[in-house]
PDB file of all heavy atoms in Angstrom:
ATOM      1  N   ILE U  82     -18.281  54.477 -70.704  1.00  0.00           N
ATOM      2  CA  ILE U  82     -18.326  53.304 -71.577  1.00  0.00           C
ATOM      3  C   ILE U  82     -16.911  53.119 -72.135  1.00  0.00           C
ATOM      4  O   ILE U  82     -16.323  54.030 -72.645  1.00  0.00           O
ATOM      5  CB  ILE U  82     -19.365  53.522 -72.709  1.00  0.00           C
ATOM      6  CG1 ILE U  82     -20.734  53.799 -72.126  1.00  0.00           C
ATOM      7  CG2 ILE U  82     -19.396  52.306 -73.670  1.00  0.00           C
ATOM      8  CD1 ILE U  82     -21.707  54.412 -73.064  1.00  0.00           C
ATOM      9  N   GLY U  83     -16.436  51.857 -72.105  1.00  0.00           N
ATOM     10  CA  GLY U  83     -15.088  51.552 -72.611  1.00  0.00           C
ATOM     11  C   GLY U  83     -14.762  50.083 -72.505  1.00  0.00           C
ATOM     12  O   GLY U  83     -15.601  49.316 -72.178  1.00  0.00           O
ATOM     13  N   SER U  97     -12.782  47.644 -81.393  1.00  0.00           N
ATOM     14  CA  SER U  97     -12.852  49.026 -81.949  1.00  0.00           C
ATOM     15  C   SER U  97     -13.387  50.043 -80.904  1.00  0.00           C
ATOM     16  O   SER U  97     -13.441  51.220 -81.180  1.00  0.00           O
ATOM     17  CB  SER U  97     -13.724  49.048 -83.173  1.00  0.00           C
ATOM     18  OG  SER U  97     -15.030  48.594 -82.914  1.00  0.00           O
ATOM     19  N   VAL U  98     -13.676  49.563 -79.679  1.00  0.00           N
ATOM     20  CA  VAL U  98     -14.009  50.454 -78.573  1.00  0.00           C
ATOM     21  C   VAL U  98     -12.773  50.823 -77.838  1.00  0.00           C
ATOM     22  O   VAL U  98     -11.925  49.965 -77.521  1.00  0.00           O
ATOM     23  CB  VAL U  98     -15.055  49.795 -77.603  1.00  0.00           C
ATOM     24  CG1 VAL U  98     -15.227  50.649 -76.389  1.00  0.00           C
ATOM     25  CG2 VAL U  98     -16.339  49.551 -78.327  1.00  0.00           C
ATOM     26  N   SER U  99     -12.563  52.143 -77.579  1.00  0.00           N
ATOM     27  CA  SER U  99     -11.356  52.613 -76.856  1.00  0.00           C
ATOM     28  C   SER U  99     -11.484  52.205 -75.380  1.00  0.00           C
ATOM     29  O   SER U  99     -12.565  51.878 -74.894  1.00  0.00           O
ATOM     30  CB  SER U  99     -11.261  54.137 -76.996  1.00  0.00           C
ATOM     31  OG  SER U  99     -10.972  54.489 -78.338  1.00  0.00           O
ATOM     32  N   HIS U 101     -11.387  54.114 -72.770  1.00  0.00           N
ATOM     33  CA  HIS U 101     -12.354  55.077 -72.184  1.00  0.00           C
ATOM     34  C   HIS U 101     -12.948  55.760 -73.411  1.00  0.00           C
ATOM     35  O   HIS U 101     -12.460  56.746 -73.861  1.00  0.00           O
ATOM     36  CB  HIS U 101     -11.770  56.082 -71.235  1.00  0.00           C
ATOM     37  CG  HIS U 101     -11.118  55.427 -70.062  1.00  0.00           C
ATOM     38  ND1 HIS U 101     -11.863  55.036 -68.939  1.00  0.00           N
ATOM     39  CD2 HIS U 101      -9.865  55.077 -69.803  1.00  0.00           C
ATOM     40  CE1 HIS U 101     -11.074  54.493 -68.042  1.00  0.00           C
ATOM     41  NE2 HIS U 101      -9.838  54.479 -68.555  1.00  0.00           N
ATOM     42  N   HIS U 102     -14.091  55.254 -73.875  1.00  0.00           N
ATOM     43  CA  HIS U 102     -14.626  55.674 -75.215  1.00  0.00           C
ATOM     44  C   HIS U 102     -15.622  56.822 -75.117  1.00  0.00           C
ATOM     45  O   HIS U 102     -15.488  57.816 -75.895  1.00  0.00           O
ATOM     46  CB  HIS U 102     -15.316  54.464 -75.865  1.00  0.00           C
ATOM     47  CG  HIS U 102     -15.481  54.628 -77.310  1.00  0.00           C
ATOM     48  ND1 HIS U 102     -14.751  53.941 -78.265  1.00  0.00           N
ATOM     49  CD2 HIS U 102     -16.390  55.331 -77.982  1.00  0.00           C
ATOM     50  CE1 HIS U 102     -15.175  54.275 -79.508  1.00  0.00           C
ATOM     51  NE2 HIS U 102     -16.158  55.183 -79.327  1.00  0.00           N
ATOM     52  N   ALA U 103     -16.650  56.741 -74.246  1.00  0.00           N
ATOM     53  CA  ALA U 103     -17.674  57.720 -74.197  1.00  0.00           C
ATOM     54  C   ALA U 103     -18.187  57.859 -72.784  1.00  0.00           C
ATOM     55  O   ALA U 103     -17.970  57.021 -71.920  1.00  0.00           O
ATOM     56  CB  ALA U 103     -18.825  57.317 -75.141  1.00  0.00           C
ATOM     57  N   ARG U 104     -18.941  58.986 -72.554  1.00  0.00           N
ATOM     58  CA  ARG U 104     -19.475  59.197 -71.229  1.00  0.00           C
ATOM     59  C   ARG U 104     -20.849  59.876 -71.338  1.00  0.00           C
ATOM     60  O   ARG U 104     -21.056  60.706 -72.187  1.00  0.00           O
ATOM     61  CB  ARG U 104     -18.522  60.142 -70.401  1.00  0.00           C
ATOM     62  CG  ARG U 104     -19.027  60.361 -69.013  1.00  0.00           C
ATOM     63  CD  ARG U 104     -18.070  61.167 -68.137  1.00  0.00           C
ATOM     64  NE  ARG U 104     -18.003  62.551 -68.656  1.00  0.00           N
ATOM     65  CZ  ARG U 104     -16.872  63.134 -68.904  1.00  0.00           C
ATOM     66  NH1 ARG U 104     -15.720  62.595 -68.703  1.00  0.00           N
ATOM     67  NH2 ARG U 104     -16.877  64.361 -69.398  1.00  0.00           N
ATOM     68  N   ILE U 105     -21.745  59.480 -70.446  1.00  0.00           N
ATOM     69  CA  ILE U 105     -23.014  60.114 -70.311  1.00  0.00           C
ATOM     70  C   ILE U 105     -22.987  60.867 -68.979  1.00  0.00           C
ATOM     71  O   ILE U 105     -22.649  60.301 -67.915  1.00  0.00           O
ATOM     72  CB  ILE U 105     -24.210  59.090 -70.297  1.00  0.00           C
ATOM     73  CG1 ILE U 105     -24.251  58.347 -71.636  1.00  0.00           C
ATOM     74  CG2 ILE U 105     -25.563  59.769 -69.998  1.00  0.00           C
ATOM     75  CD1 ILE U 105     -25.183  57.216 -71.665  1.00  0.00           C
ATOM     76  N   PHE U 113     -26.356  64.191 -71.209  1.00  0.00           N
ATOM     77  CA  PHE U 113     -25.446  64.577 -72.320  1.00  0.00           C
ATOM     78  C   PHE U 113     -24.532  63.463 -72.594  1.00  0.00           C
ATOM     79  O   PHE U 113     -23.972  62.805 -71.715  1.00  0.00           O
ATOM     80  CB  PHE U 113     -24.665  65.828 -71.945  1.00  0.00           C
ATOM     81  CG  PHE U 113     -25.567  67.043 -71.638  1.00  0.00           C
ATOM     82  CD1 PHE U 113     -25.966  67.234 -70.325  1.00  0.00           C
ATOM     83  CD2 PHE U 113     -25.928  67.897 -72.644  1.00  0.00           C
ATOM     84  CE1 PHE U 113     -26.808  68.315 -70.022  1.00  0.00           C
ATOM     85  CE2 PHE U 113     -26.794  68.957 -72.337  1.00  0.00           C
ATOM     86  CZ  PHE U 113     -27.197  69.184 -71.031  1.00  0.00           C
ATOM     87  N   LEU U 114     -24.315  63.195 -73.928  1.00  0.00           N
ATOM     88  CA  LEU U 114     -23.374  62.170 -74.403  1.00  0.00           C
ATOM     89  C   LEU U 114     -22.135  62.857 -74.924  1.00  0.00           C
ATOM     90  O   LEU U 114     -22.222  63.812 -75.710  1.00  0.00           O
ATOM     91  CB  LEU U 114     -24.040  61.314 -75.470  1.00  0.00           C
ATOM     92  CG  LEU U 114     -23.196  60.251 -76.167  1.00  0.00           C
ATOM     93  CD1 LEU U 114     -22.743  59.199 -75.149  1.00  0.00           C
ATOM     94  CD2 LEU U 114     -23.953  59.633 -77.289  1.00  0.00           C
ATOM     95  N   SER U 115     -20.945  62.347 -74.541  1.00  0.00           N
ATOM     96  CA  SER U 115     -19.685  62.954 -75.025  1.00  0.00           C
ATOM     97  C   SER U 115     -18.770  61.810 -75.469  1.00  0.00           C
ATOM     98  O   SER U 115     -18.760  60.731 -74.829  1.00  0.00           O
ATOM     99  CB  SER U 115     -18.953  63.647 -73.852  1.00  0.00           C
ATOM    100  OG  SER U 115     -19.769  64.715 -73.366  1.00  0.00           O
ATOM    101  N   ASP U 116     -18.046  62.021 -76.493  1.00  0.00           N
ATOM    102  CA  ASP U 116     -16.957  61.150 -76.949  1.00  0.00           C
ATOM    103  C   ASP U 116     -15.724  61.541 -76.133  1.00  0.00           C
ATOM    104  O   ASP U 116     -15.436  62.762 -75.934  1.00  0.00           O
ATOM    105  CB  ASP U 116     -16.689  61.291 -78.433  1.00  0.00           C
ATOM    106  CG  ASP U 116     -15.678  60.320 -78.903  1.00  0.00           C
ATOM    107  OD1 ASP U 116     -15.980  59.114 -79.042  1.00  0.00           O
ATOM    108  OD2 ASP U 116     -14.511  60.759 -79.088  1.00  0.00           O
ATOM    109  N   LEU U 117     -15.011  60.563 -75.681  1.00  0.00           N
ATOM    110  CA  LEU U 117     -13.777  60.853 -74.830  1.00  0.00           C
ATOM    111  C   LEU U 117     -12.478  60.734 -75.696  1.00  0.00           C
ATOM    112  O   LEU U 117     -11.572  60.087 -75.284  1.00  0.00           O
ATOM    113  CB  LEU U 117     -13.741  59.856 -73.629  1.00  0.00           C
ATOM    114  CG  LEU U 117     -14.949  59.947 -72.701  1.00  0.00           C
ATOM    115  CD1 LEU U 117     -14.825  58.929 -71.623  1.00  0.00           C
ATOM    116  CD2 LEU U 117     -15.015  61.336 -72.112  1.00  0.00           C
ATOM    117  N   ASP U 118     -12.505  61.388 -76.858  1.00  0.00           N
ATOM    118  CA  ASP U 118     -11.375  61.348 -77.769  1.00  0.00           C
ATOM    119  C   ASP U 118     -11.011  59.961 -78.191  1.00  0.00           C
ATOM    120  O   ASP U 118      -9.847  59.560 -78.231  1.00  0.00           O
ATOM    121  CB  ASP U 118     -10.147  62.108 -77.162  1.00  0.00           C
ATOM    122  CG  ASP U 118     -10.398  63.585 -76.953  1.00  0.00           C
ATOM    123  OD1 ASP U 118     -11.069  64.170 -77.819  1.00  0.00           O
ATOM    124  OD2 ASP U 118      -9.914  64.121 -75.940  1.00  0.00           O
ATOM    125  N   SER U 119     -12.094  59.169 -78.427  1.00  0.00           N
ATOM    126  CA  SER U 119     -11.863  57.802 -78.850  1.00  0.00           C
ATOM    127  C   SER U 119     -11.286  57.672 -80.232  1.00  0.00           C
ATOM    128  O   SER U 119     -11.397  58.671 -81.029  1.00  0.00           O
ATOM    129  CB  SER U 119     -13.178  57.035 -78.817  1.00  0.00           C
ATOM    130  OG  SER U 119     -14.096  57.531 -79.800  1.00  0.00           O
ATOM    131  N   ARG U 120     -10.622  56.618 -80.516  1.00  0.00           N
ATOM    132  CA  ARG U 120     -10.005  56.382 -81.825  1.00  0.00           C
ATOM    133  C   ARG U 120     -11.066  56.286 -82.941  1.00  0.00           C
ATOM    134  O   ARG U 120     -10.818  56.844 -84.039  1.00  0.00           O
ATOM    135  CB  ARG U 120      -9.176  55.062 -81.701  1.00  0.00           C
ATOM    136  CG  ARG U 120      -8.505  54.599 -82.931  1.00  0.00           C
ATOM    137  CD  ARG U 120      -7.755  53.290 -82.635  1.00  0.00           C
ATOM    138  NE  ARG U 120      -8.411  52.594 -81.467  1.00  0.00           N
ATOM    139  CZ  ARG U 120      -8.598  51.321 -81.368  1.00  0.00           C
ATOM    140  NH1 ARG U 120      -8.148  50.503 -82.221  1.00  0.00           N
ATOM    141  NH2 ARG U 120      -9.160  50.810 -80.311  1.00  0.00           N
ATOM    142  N   ASN U 121     -12.159  55.614 -82.703  1.00  0.00           N
ATOM    143  CA  ASN U 121     -13.137  55.345 -83.795  1.00  0.00           C
ATOM    144  C   ASN U 121     -14.410  56.176 -83.645  1.00  0.00           C
ATOM    145  O   ASN U 121     -15.341  56.050 -84.475  1.00  0.00           O
ATOM    146  CB  ASN U 121     -13.530  53.854 -83.777  1.00  0.00           C
ATOM    147  CG  ASN U 121     -12.336  53.008 -84.193  1.00  0.00           C
ATOM    148  OD1 ASN U 121     -11.634  53.345 -85.171  1.00  0.00           O
ATOM    149  ND2 ASN U 121     -12.046  51.930 -83.469  1.00  0.00           N
ATOM    150  N   GLY U 122     -14.465  57.036 -82.638  1.00  0.00           N
ATOM    151  CA  GLY U 122     -15.611  57.967 -82.534  1.00  0.00           C
ATOM    152  C   GLY U 122     -16.905  57.318 -81.931  1.00  0.00           C
ATOM    153  O   GLY U 122     -17.036  56.132 -81.791  1.00  0.00           O
ATOM    154  N   THR U 123     -17.760  58.244 -81.549  1.00  0.00           N
ATOM    155  CA  THR U 123     -19.076  57.895 -81.022  1.00  0.00           C
ATOM    156  C   THR U 123     -20.084  58.518 -82.007  1.00  0.00           C
ATOM    157  O   THR U 123     -19.932  59.698 -82.395  1.00  0.00           O
ATOM    158  CB  THR U 123     -19.260  58.453 -79.592  1.00  0.00           C
ATOM    159  OG1 THR U 123     -18.251  57.920 -78.774  1.00  0.00           O
ATOM    160  CG2 THR U 123     -20.597  58.200 -79.072  1.00  0.00           C
ATOM    161  N   TYR U 124     -21.080  57.742 -82.385  1.00  0.00           N
ATOM    162  CA  TYR U 124     -22.033  58.190 -83.415  1.00  0.00           C
ATOM    163  C   TYR U 124     -23.497  58.186 -82.909  1.00  0.00           C
ATOM    164  O   TYR U 124     -23.904  57.273 -82.267  1.00  0.00           O
ATOM    165  CB  TYR U 124     -21.911  57.283 -84.671  1.00  0.00           C
ATOM    166  CG  TYR U 124     -20.671  57.420 -85.365  1.00  0.00           C
ATOM    167  CD1 TYR U 124     -19.483  56.750 -84.967  1.00  0.00           C
ATOM    168  CD2 TYR U 124     -20.550  58.232 -86.506  1.00  0.00           C
ATOM    169  CE1 TYR U 124     -18.299  56.913 -85.637  1.00  0.00           C
ATOM    170  CE2 TYR U 124     -19.364  58.382 -87.193  1.00  0.00           C
ATOM    171  CZ  TYR U 124     -18.221  57.716 -86.769  1.00  0.00           C
ATOM    172  OH  TYR U 124     -17.043  57.870 -87.460  1.00  0.00           O
ATOM    173  N   LEU U 125     -24.226  59.249 -83.293  1.00  0.00           N
ATOM    174  CA  LEU U 125     -25.629  59.328 -83.212  1.00  0.00           C
ATOM    175  C   LEU U 125     -26.123  59.209 -84.613  1.00  0.00           C
ATOM    176  O   LEU U 125     -25.919  60.097 -85.396  1.00  0.00           O
ATOM    177  CB  LEU U 125     -26.101  60.667 -82.602  1.00  0.00           C
ATOM    178  CG  LEU U 125     -26.018  60.819 -81.075  1.00  0.00           C
ATOM    179  CD1 LEU U 125     -26.331  62.250 -80.654  1.00  0.00           C
ATOM    180  CD2 LEU U 125     -26.973  59.847 -80.389  1.00  0.00           C
ATOM    181  N   GLY U 126     -26.765  58.068 -84.932  1.00  0.00           N
ATOM    182  CA  GLY U 126     -27.093  57.788 -86.360  1.00  0.00           C
ATOM    183  C   GLY U 126     -25.783  57.709 -87.118  1.00  0.00           C
ATOM    184  O   GLY U 126     -24.877  57.000 -86.746  1.00  0.00           O
ATOM    185  N   ASP U 127     -25.668  58.445 -88.212  1.00  0.00           N
ATOM    186  CA  ASP U 127     -24.406  58.439 -89.013  1.00  0.00           C
ATOM    187  C   ASP U 127     -23.596  59.696 -88.748  1.00  0.00           C
ATOM    188  O   ASP U 127     -22.603  59.933 -89.424  1.00  0.00           O
ATOM    189  CB  ASP U 127     -24.730  58.283 -90.490  1.00  0.00           C
ATOM    190  CG  ASP U 127     -25.648  59.368 -91.024  1.00  0.00           C
ATOM    191  OD1 ASP U 127     -26.087  60.218 -90.284  1.00  0.00           O
ATOM    192  OD2 ASP U 127     -25.906  59.309 -92.277  1.00  0.00           O
ATOM    193  N   GLN U 128     -23.944  60.465 -87.692  1.00  0.00           N
ATOM    194  CA  GLN U 128     -23.196  61.701 -87.356  1.00  0.00           C
ATOM    195  C   GLN U 128     -22.261  61.409 -86.209  1.00  0.00           C
ATOM    196  O   GLN U 128     -22.658  61.010 -85.143  1.00  0.00           O
ATOM    197  CB  GLN U 128     -24.180  62.790 -86.900  1.00  0.00           C
ATOM    198  CG  GLN U 128     -25.093  63.293 -88.000  1.00  0.00           C
ATOM    199  CD  GLN U 128     -24.313  64.067 -89.044  1.00  0.00           C
ATOM    200  OE1 GLN U 128     -23.415  64.812 -88.751  1.00  0.00           O
ATOM    201  NE2 GLN U 128     -24.679  63.812 -90.323  1.00  0.00           N
ATOM    202  N   ARG U 129     -20.979  61.666 -86.484  1.00  0.00           N
ATOM    203  CA  ARG U 129     -20.002  61.523 -85.433  1.00  0.00           C
ATOM    204  C   ARG U 129     -20.038  62.685 -84.446  1.00  0.00           C
ATOM    205  O   ARG U 129     -20.192  63.821 -84.880  1.00  0.00           O
ATOM    206  CB  ARG U 129     -18.556  61.454 -86.019  1.00  0.00           C
ATOM    207  CG  ARG U 129     -17.495  61.178 -85.047  1.00  0.00           C
ATOM    208  CD  ARG U 129     -16.153  60.965 -85.727  1.00  0.00           C
ATOM    209  NE  ARG U 129     -15.160  60.637 -84.698  1.00  0.00           N
ATOM    210  CZ  ARG U 129     -14.053  60.009 -84.949  1.00  0.00           C
ATOM    211  NH1 ARG U 129     -13.797  59.567 -86.174  1.00  0.00           N
ATOM    212  NH2 ARG U 129     -13.184  59.717 -83.987  1.00  0.00           N
ATOM    213  N   LEU U 130     -20.042  62.376 -83.152  1.00  0.00           N
ATOM    214  CA  LEU U 130     -20.065  63.428 -82.128  1.00  0.00           C
ATOM    215  C   LEU U 130     -18.794  64.239 -82.143  1.00  0.00           C
ATOM    216  O   LEU U 130     -17.701  63.675 -82.154  1.00  0.00           O
ATOM    217  CB  LEU U 130     -20.255  62.801 -80.731  1.00  0.00           C
ATOM    218  CG  LEU U 130     -21.566  62.239 -80.350  1.00  0.00           C
ATOM    219  CD1 LEU U 130     -21.559  61.804 -78.896  1.00  0.00           C
ATOM    220  CD2 LEU U 130     -22.729  63.213 -80.552  1.00  0.00           C
ATOM    221  N   VAL U 131     -18.941  65.538 -82.103  1.00  0.00           N
ATOM    222  CA  VAL U 131     -17.767  66.384 -81.989  1.00  0.00           C
ATOM    223  C   VAL U 131     -17.829  67.183 -80.701  1.00  0.00           C
ATOM    224  O   VAL U 131     -16.839  67.639 -80.208  1.00  0.00           O
ATOM    225  CB  VAL U 131     -17.567  67.320 -83.204  1.00  0.00           C
ATOM    226  CG1 VAL U 131     -17.124  66.548 -84.395  1.00  0.00           C
ATOM    227  CG2 VAL U 131     -18.785  68.135 -83.536  1.00  0.00           C
ATOM    228  N   ASP U 132     -19.076  67.412 -80.275  1.00  0.00           N
ATOM    229  CA  ASP U 132     -19.320  68.130 -78.999  1.00  0.00           C
ATOM    230  C   ASP U 132     -20.221  67.284 -78.092  1.00  0.00           C
ATOM    231  O   ASP U 132     -20.887  66.390 -78.508  1.00  0.00           O
ATOM    232  CB  ASP U 132     -20.011  69.467 -79.289  1.00  0.00           C
ATOM    233  CG  ASP U 132     -19.109  70.415 -80.050  1.00  0.00           C
ATOM    234  OD1 ASP U 132     -17.897  70.521 -79.677  1.00  0.00           O
ATOM    235  OD2 ASP U 132     -19.661  71.090 -81.012  1.00  0.00           O
ATOM    236  N   ARG U 133     -20.257  67.707 -76.859  1.00  0.00           N
ATOM    237  CA  ARG U 133     -21.177  67.146 -75.918  1.00  0.00           C
ATOM    238  C   ARG U 133     -22.599  67.396 -76.475  1.00  0.00           C
ATOM    239  O   ARG U 133     -22.957  68.515 -76.831  1.00  0.00           O
ATOM    240  CB  ARG U 133     -21.001  67.856 -74.576  1.00  0.00           C
ATOM    241  CG  ARG U 133     -21.760  67.331 -73.460  1.00  0.00           C
ATOM    242  CD  ARG U 133     -21.285  68.060 -72.249  1.00  0.00           C
ATOM    243  NE  ARG U 133     -22.380  68.775 -71.668  1.00  0.00           N
ATOM    244  CZ  ARG U 133     -22.613  68.898 -70.366  1.00  0.00           C
ATOM    245  NH1 ARG U 133     -21.810  68.386 -69.503  1.00  0.00           N
ATOM    246  NH2 ARG U 133     -23.687  69.479 -69.961  1.00  0.00           N
ATOM    247  N   THR U 134     -23.402  66.332 -76.511  1.00  0.00           N
ATOM    248  CA  THR U 134     -24.702  66.379 -77.175  1.00  0.00           C
ATOM    249  C   THR U 134     -25.818  65.951 -76.242  1.00  0.00           C
ATOM    250  O   THR U 134     -25.711  64.883 -75.581  1.00  0.00           O
ATOM    251  CB  THR U 134     -24.717  65.442 -78.365  1.00  0.00           C
ATOM    252  OG1 THR U 134     -23.660  65.843 -79.252  1.00  0.00           O
ATOM    253  CG2 THR U 134     -26.014  65.514 -79.161  1.00  0.00           C
ATOM    254  N   ILE U 136     -29.091  64.103 -74.922  1.00  0.00           N
ATOM    255  CA  ILE U 136     -29.805  62.859 -75.317  1.00  0.00           C
ATOM    256  C   ILE U 136     -30.978  62.666 -74.424  1.00  0.00           C
ATOM    257  O   ILE U 136     -30.997  63.265 -73.329  1.00  0.00           O
ATOM    258  CB  ILE U 136     -28.828  61.625 -75.257  1.00  0.00           C
ATOM    259  CG1 ILE U 136     -28.251  61.407 -73.894  1.00  0.00           C
ATOM    260  CG2 ILE U 136     -27.773  61.727 -76.348  1.00  0.00           C
ATOM    261  CD1 ILE U 136     -27.499  60.126 -73.726  1.00  0.00           C
ATOM    262  N   THR U 140     -32.614  57.111 -76.882  1.00  0.00           N
ATOM    263  CA  THR U 140     -31.572  57.512 -77.831  1.00  0.00           C
ATOM    264  C   THR U 140     -30.701  56.297 -78.105  1.00  0.00           C
ATOM    265  O   THR U 140     -30.215  55.654 -77.143  1.00  0.00           O
ATOM    266  CB  THR U 140     -30.754  58.689 -77.233  1.00  0.00           C
ATOM    267  OG1 THR U 140     -31.602  59.790 -77.045  1.00  0.00           O
ATOM    268  CG2 THR U 140     -29.577  59.000 -78.220  1.00  0.00           C
ATOM    269  N   THR U 141     -30.491  56.022 -79.353  1.00  0.00           N
ATOM    270  CA  THR U 141     -29.478  54.987 -79.707  1.00  0.00           C
ATOM    271  C   THR U 141     -28.253  55.624 -80.230  1.00  0.00           C
ATOM    272  O   THR U 141     -28.310  56.658 -80.942  1.00  0.00           O
ATOM    273  CB  THR U 141     -30.067  53.994 -80.742  1.00  0.00           C
ATOM    274  OG1 THR U 141     -30.479  54.712 -81.881  1.00  0.00           O
ATOM    275  CG2 THR U 141     -31.234  53.235 -80.124  1.00  0.00           C
ATOM    276  N   PHE U 142     -27.102  55.045 -79.943  1.00  0.00           N
ATOM    277  CA  PHE U 142     -25.839  55.561 -80.408  1.00  0.00           C
ATOM    278  C   PHE U 142     -24.849  54.416 -80.546  1.00  0.00           C
ATOM    279  O   PHE U 142     -25.090  53.253 -80.107  1.00  0.00           O
ATOM    280  CB  PHE U 142     -25.268  56.651 -79.451  1.00  0.00           C
ATOM    281  CG  PHE U 142     -25.070  56.203 -78.023  1.00  0.00           C
ATOM    282  CD1 PHE U 142     -23.790  55.839 -77.592  1.00  0.00           C
ATOM    283  CD2 PHE U 142     -26.118  56.161 -77.099  1.00  0.00           C
ATOM    284  CE1 PHE U 142     -23.593  55.483 -76.281  1.00  0.00           C
ATOM    285  CE2 PHE U 142     -25.931  55.738 -75.806  1.00  0.00           C
ATOM    286  CZ  PHE U 142     -24.644  55.383 -75.376  1.00  0.00           C
ATOM    287  N   THR U 143     -23.747  54.645 -81.215  1.00  0.00           N
ATOM    288  CA  THR U 143     -22.808  53.579 -81.552  1.00  0.00           C
ATOM    289  C   THR U 143     -21.398  53.977 -81.035  1.00  0.00           C
ATOM    290  O   THR U 143     -20.930  55.074 -81.249  1.00  0.00           O
ATOM    291  CB  THR U 143     -22.716  53.388 -83.072  1.00  0.00           C
ATOM    292  OG1 THR U 143     -24.096  53.036 -83.520  1.00  0.00           O
ATOM    293  CG2 THR U 143     -21.794  52.215 -83.427  1.00  0.00           C
ATOM    294  N   VAL U 144     -20.738  53.020 -80.387  1.00  0.00           N
ATOM    295  CA  VAL U 144     -19.336  53.127 -80.036  1.00  0.00           C
ATOM    296  C   VAL U 144     -18.671  51.893 -80.652  1.00  0.00           C
ATOM    297  O   VAL U 144     -19.132  50.808 -80.457  1.00  0.00           O
ATOM    298  CB  VAL U 144     -19.159  53.176 -78.492  1.00  0.00           C
ATOM    299  CG1 VAL U 144     -19.788  54.430 -77.870  1.00  0.00           C
ATOM    300  CG2 VAL U 144     -19.671  51.944 -77.816  1.00  0.00           C
ATOM    301  N   GLY U 145     -17.635  52.143 -81.414  1.00  0.00           N
ATOM    302  CA  GLY U 145     -16.969  51.028 -82.115  1.00  0.00           C
ATOM    303  C   GLY U 145     -17.964  50.317 -83.036  1.00  0.00           C
ATOM    304  O   GLY U 145     -18.606  50.904 -83.815  1.00  0.00           O
ATOM    305  N   ARG U 146     -18.099  48.989 -82.830  1.00  0.00           N
ATOM    306  CA  ARG U 146     -19.069  48.194 -83.577  1.00  0.00           C
ATOM    307  C   ARG U 146     -20.314  47.902 -82.715  1.00  0.00           C
ATOM    308  O   ARG U 146     -21.056  47.012 -83.118  1.00  0.00           O
ATOM    309  CB  ARG U 146     -18.430  46.905 -84.099  1.00  0.00           C
ATOM    310  CG  ARG U 146     -17.309  47.100 -85.116  1.00  0.00           C
ATOM    311  CD  ARG U 146     -16.721  45.824 -85.637  1.00  0.00           C
ATOM    312  NE  ARG U 146     -15.982  45.195 -84.490  1.00  0.00           N
ATOM    313  CZ  ARG U 146     -16.232  43.847 -84.109  1.00  0.00           C
ATOM    314  NH1 ARG U 146     -17.116  43.128 -84.694  1.00  0.00           N
ATOM    315  NH2 ARG U 146     -15.540  43.406 -83.115  1.00  0.00           N
ATOM    316  N   THR U 147     -20.488  48.556 -81.635  1.00  0.00           N
ATOM    317  CA  THR U 147     -21.523  48.269 -80.666  1.00  0.00           C
ATOM    318  C   THR U 147     -22.598  49.336 -80.674  1.00  0.00           C
ATOM    319  O   THR U 147     -22.314  50.504 -80.454  1.00  0.00           O
ATOM    320  CB  THR U 147     -20.933  48.126 -79.225  1.00  0.00           C
ATOM    321  OG1 THR U 147     -19.974  47.071 -79.268  1.00  0.00           O
ATOM    322  CG2 THR U 147     -21.966  47.791 -78.221  1.00  0.00           C
ATOM    323  N   GLN U 148     -23.834  48.943 -80.890  1.00  0.00           N
ATOM    324  CA  GLN U 148     -24.944  49.874 -80.847  1.00  0.00           C
ATOM    325  C   GLN U 148     -25.576  49.839 -79.462  1.00  0.00           C
ATOM    326  O   GLN U 148     -25.832  48.730 -78.926  1.00  0.00           O
ATOM    327  CB  GLN U 148     -26.028  49.561 -81.918  1.00  0.00           C
ATOM    328  CG  GLN U 148     -27.136  50.582 -81.927  1.00  0.00           C
ATOM    329  CD  GLN U 148     -28.210  50.304 -83.004  1.00  0.00           C
ATOM    330  OE1 GLN U 148     -28.275  49.220 -83.513  1.00  0.00           O
ATOM    331  NE2 GLN U 148     -28.966  51.301 -83.318  1.00  0.00           N
ATOM    332  N   LEU U 149     -25.855  50.984 -78.886  1.00  0.00           N
ATOM    333  CA  LEU U 149     -26.346  51.088 -77.538  1.00  0.00           C
ATOM    334  C   LEU U 149     -27.613  51.894 -77.466  1.00  0.00           C
ATOM    335  O   LEU U 149     -27.870  52.732 -78.328  1.00  0.00           O
ATOM    336  CB  LEU U 149     -25.284  51.784 -76.642  1.00  0.00           C
ATOM    337  CG  LEU U 149     -23.876  51.151 -76.622  1.00  0.00           C
ATOM    338  CD1 LEU U 149     -22.930  52.039 -75.979  1.00  0.00           C
ATOM    339  CD2 LEU U 149     -23.999  49.830 -75.860  1.00  0.00           C
TER     340      LEU U 149
END
Side-chain angles (χ1 to χ4, degrees):
I82 301 163
S97 58
V98 171
S99 295
H101 298 278
H102 197 105
R104 183 177 65 231
I105 298 171
F113 300 90
L114 177 63
S115 302
D116 183 77
L117 298 176
D118 295 323
S119 66
R120 176 180 26 140
N121 293 313
T123 301
Y124 290 83
L125 280 172
D127 58 357
Q128 294 291 321
R129 185 173 182 156
L130 288 184
V131 290
D132 293 318
R133 185 174 120 141
T134 303
I136 59 173
T140 298
T141 58
F142 60 99
T143 305
V144 296
R146 293 181 294 125
T147 302
Q148 184 179 19
L149 304 168

